[in-house]
Amino acid sequence: MLFDPTLCGEVPSSQNTILTALLCVGTFLSYLPQHLKILKRRSSDGISPYFILLGTVGAGSNITNIILLQFIALQCCTVQTYGACVASLLGIFQVVIQGTMFYITFILYMSFFPEQNKYEELADGAEAEGDSESRPLLLPWSSGSNRGPPSVEWQTAMWVAGAVVLHAGICVLMSGLLVTLVGPYAAPTRTWASLLGLFSLCLTCLQFFPQIIKTWRSGSVGALSIPMMLMQTPGGFVFAYSIAIRPGVNWSSWISTFVAATLQCVLLVICLSFEAQAKSQRALDEAVPVVADAEASEAQASENAST
């Protein structure tokens, strides 16, 4: 099927255009607290590698899905006015911005992976034995300290990085071949796009479970940003709605966003609970020295009065 300019007559309403534009800006801003927190702490400790894997691969699948399903919006820009073109592409921009920001989170996670979690620590006895029995053998991870082989967590993170790059390559290569060989509106291309949407849905349904489990077990928020979740949780439901009402989009494009918002709400409640407990504990720890000093002063005053 060739491009038919007569199909470009349907332009999103001004209300939908304004809503989508605001969501694009809100999506961009909502990820900044997470990025800034990792940069400020210079550590991504507390973030699950499987959360990063599922989220990044799901974002890549969602980007490919929306571009293929709304490929006609890209071609319609050749016959539309600038304003109509931008309004038609906002749905794609919305998904691309969200996916790109998650890819940036993935890059920050890998860049600021905690050094202390990269390698196993050797026991003192094992280190001494290694020095005496195998001193000529210099392992890649040995640097004169008690640092052992790469930890399971660091190996998992490296595996996640490889999987993310491989998935992105497959999406670009497969989609490019389909669009070039059979066309953007052919049944195989549409099927591929829908499969990516379903794949994104499955990943999104699973995405927050590893993070929920890791956060629950650690009892700490770690590098997760509560302000980000406070913005994204309600925004996610509005985000899904704005995608669903756009022309040419089926349920596979928005359902993953709706599921993600629901599960993120669960994670937010857990983080808020742990943060409240941490604040109470800090207040208690700060109060103990004050009480101790007051009691010491009172005892000293009593001693001085008795003498």
Side-chain angles (χ1 to χ4, degrees):
M1 177 181 175
L2 298 177
F3 169 60
D4 184 2
T6 61
L7 299 177
C8 301
E10 189 176 2
V11 179
S13 64
S14 58
Q15 180 181 0
N16 186 30
T17 300
I18 294 174
L19 175 61
T20 307
L22 291 175
L23 283 172
C24 287
V25 176
T27 300
F28 174 80
L29 295 177
S30 69
Y31 276 94
L32 291 182
Q34 180 63 77
H35 298 166
L36 293 175
K37 185 170 184 179
I38 295 176
L39 290 170
K40 182 178 179 180
R41 289 166 52 97
R42 303 194 65 80
S43 172
S44 59
D45 189 28
I47 300 179
S48 169
Y50 297 108
F51 168 73
I52 293 295
L53 170 66
L54 299 176
T56 309
V57 172
S61 299
N62 217 20
I63 290 174
T64 311
N65 167 272
I66 196 71
I67 290 176
L68 291 178
L69 289 181
Q70 289 202 315
F71 197 85
I72 190 172
L74 298 172
Q75 293 185 319
C76 284
C77 282
T78 60
V79 297
Q80 287 178 329
T81 63
Y82 179 77
C85 173
V86 172
S88 300
L89 293 180
L90 278 177
I92 297 177
F93 292 158
Q94 185 178 356
V95 176
V96 170
I97 289 173
Q98 184 188 40
T100 302
M101 296 302 282
F102 206 100
Y103 269 97
I104 294 175
T105 304
F106 155 70
I107 294 173
L108 291 175
Y109 168 80
M110 295 300 301
S111 301
F112 293 97
F113 192 90
E115 287 293 331
Q116 68 273 16
N117 294 345
K118 287 186 177 181
Y119 301 95
E120 303 288 352
E121 289 188 2
L122 294 176
D124 293 339
E127 181 187 5
E129 182 179 353
D131 289 343
S132 61
E133 296 182 0
S134 57
R135 185 178 297 275
L137 179 60
L138 297 178
L139 299 177
W141 53 78
S142 58
S143 58
S145 65
N146 64 336
R147 194 171 68 178
S151 66
V152 174
E153 189 176 359
W154 177 236
Q155 292 182 54
T156 301
M158 296 299 295
W159 176 84
V160 165
V164 167
V165 173
L166 177 62
H167 172 265
I170 291 175
C171 284
V172 172
L173 179 62
M174 188 68 175
S175 300
L177 288 175
L178 286 172
V179 171
T180 303
L181 298 178
V182 301
Y185 311 115
T189 306
R190 307 291 286 187
T191 301
W192 167 245
S194 294
L195 287 176
L196 286 175
L198 290 172
F199 184 53
S200 177
L201 166 62
C202 295
L203 295 183
T204 303
C205 290
L206 299 173
Q207 172 187 353
F208 284 93
F209 286 110
Q211 188 60 61
I212 290 173
I213 293 173
K214 184 177 182 65
T215 303
W216 181 265
R217 288 178 175 176
S218 66
S220 172
V221 176
L224 288 175
S225 172
I226 290 179
M228 178 195 71
M229 290 186 283
L230 286 173
M231 288 187 284
Q232 287 187 354
T233 299
F237 294 107
V238 181
F239 192 179
Y241 171 76
S242 68
I243 296 175
I245 62 178
R246 298 193 70 83
V249 175
N250 59 31
W251 63 271
S252 66
S253 295
W254 60 264
I255 190 65
S256 60
T257 306
F258 177 82
V259 174
T262 304
L263 295 177
Q264 191 174 45
C265 183
V266 176
L267 180 61
L268 174 61
V269 171
I270 294 175
C271 289
L272 287 174
S273 175
F274 287 156
E275 186 67 13
Q277 294 177 14
K279 288 183 178 180
S280 299
Q281 185 61 44
R282 286 195 296 268
L284 181 62
D285 293 341
E286 292 174 358
V288 169
V290 174
V291 174
D293 292 342
E295 291 179 349
S297 300
E298 183 178 352
Q300 183 65 33
S302 300
E303 182 179 351
N304 291 337
S306 62
T307 56

